[in-house]
Amino acid sequence: MRKRADKLKAGDYVKGPKNKPVEILSIEEGVNQDGRKCFILRLYRAGNMVVKDWRFLDTYPSRDK
């Protein structure tokens, strides 16, 4: 399923490096070098991902533990 970046929340899973699902630990708002709003996604074991607020990302169903 695809979701806009501004609709994501902590705990969602997105497509990370090597097309594997990674969990979002936290989301922060920031400004990129062009002065446009962006989101900084902190990912579990995959580092950080910076996305524009209107970008669509591939998401996965949450994994119940």
Side-chain angles (χ1 to χ4, degrees):
M1 178 167 59
R2 295 176 63 79
K3 269 190 185 177
R4 275 180 55 138
D6 58 353
K7 303 290 184 195
L8 294 172
K9 60 186 184 301
D12 286 346
Y13 286 83
V14 295
K15 186 188 288 186
K18 300 180 183 174
N19 294 330
K20 296 196 176 194
V22 292
E23 183 179 7
I24 298 174
L25 296 177
S26 66
I27 301 176
E28 302 172 16
E29 289 189 13
V31 178
N32 63 11
Q33 293 175 341
D34 297 337
R36 297 182 184 196
K37 188 169 102 172
C38 65
F39 292 105
I40 303 166
L41 307 178
R42 307 284 182 197
L43 305 174
Y44 180 70
R45 290 192 182 177
N48 303 324
M49 181 188 296
V50 178
V51 294
K52 297 173 185 162
D53 58 351
W54 51 265
R55 181 159 184 237
F56 283 84
L57 297 172
D58 290 326
T59 60
Y60 296 92
S62 62
R63 297 180 180 178
D64 294 329
K65 296 179 181 177

